[in-house]
Amino acid sequence: MKNKELLILYIVFAIIVTITNLSSQRLVLSFLTGNVGYFAALFTGTFIGVVLGYFLDKNWIFKDRVMSSKAVGKQFFLYTMTGAIHTPVFWLIETVFWFIWKTDGMRELGAILGLLVAYTIKYFILRRYVFNYDIQNPSS
């Protein structure tokens, strides 16, 4: 796949994961309100986004063929840990928009802007440390 096609596919997947994330947040917020609802929605959306994103990134973007359960487990752990770098960027921007405007529309705009920045950072981290990382031989 050419770089331009890969970039377009990555953007499409980022949009799919973003919509899934925000939809799950809306679902949680339909049951819970206030700060408790907000943070429950934030964590739920993030969890669902991580699982879906891993599947899409692994299979379609990086075409990774690691299959053993031990290797996949280690790889998923690394994938999740990269979130410690890019997820706070997304959360910070979404949270600032929420606390300033206190509207779902502005919260979602903050989420979209935060995810745009986070997905850009994420791609380079994943390419370097997760899907080009030889899990069977970490010293290589």
Side-chain angles (χ1 to χ4, degrees):
M1 188 177 302
K2 295 178 185 175
N3 286 340
K4 186 176 181 180
E5 293 169 344
L6 188 63
L7 175 63
I8 291 169
L9 189 60
Y10 187 73
I11 291 168
V12 168
F13 287 164
I15 291 168
I16 290 169
V17 172
T18 299
I19 290 169
T20 303
N21 181 322
L22 294 177
S23 296
S24 63
Q25 286 189 32
R26 280 187 178 192
L27 181 63
V28 170
L29 289 169
S30 72
F31 294 102
L32 300 171
T33 60
N35 290 341
V36 170
Y38 171 73
F39 286 108
L42 190 67
F43 285 106
T44 300
T46 299
F47 174 77
I48 290 170
V50 165
V51 173
L52 179 59
Y54 174 76
F55 175 78
L56 295 173
D57 288 344
K58 175 181 177 54
N59 294 300
W60 293 92
I61 301 301
F62 297 102
K63 298 191 183 323
D64 184 76
R65 299 297 170 229
V66 169
M67 297 301 285
S68 77
S69 59
K70 182 178 178 182
V72 167
K74 187 170 185 176
Q75 190 178 60
F76 185 73
F77 174 78
L78 289 172
Y79 184 91
T80 303
M81 289 301 98
T82 64
I85 297 166
H86 62 81
T87 300
V89 171
F90 151 56
W91 282 1
L92 177 65
I93 296 170
E94 181 177 356
T95 301
V96 166
F97 275 58
W98 169 251
F99 281 113
I100 290 173
W101 288 283
K102 295 273 190 198
T103 67
D104 286 333
M106 291 306 287
R107 177 188 58 77
E108 289 181 356
L109 177 61
I112 290 166
L113 294 174
L115 287 167
L116 176 68
V117 172
Y119 274 112
T120 302
I121 295 167
K122 175 184 156 190
Y123 174 80
F124 292 103
I125 294 170
L126 294 177
R127 186 177 74 180
R128 174 147 173 108
Y129 296 106
V130 177
F131 294 109
N132 279 341
Y133 181 79
D134 186 351
I135 290 178
Q136 304 303 328
N137 184 13
S139 62
S140 64

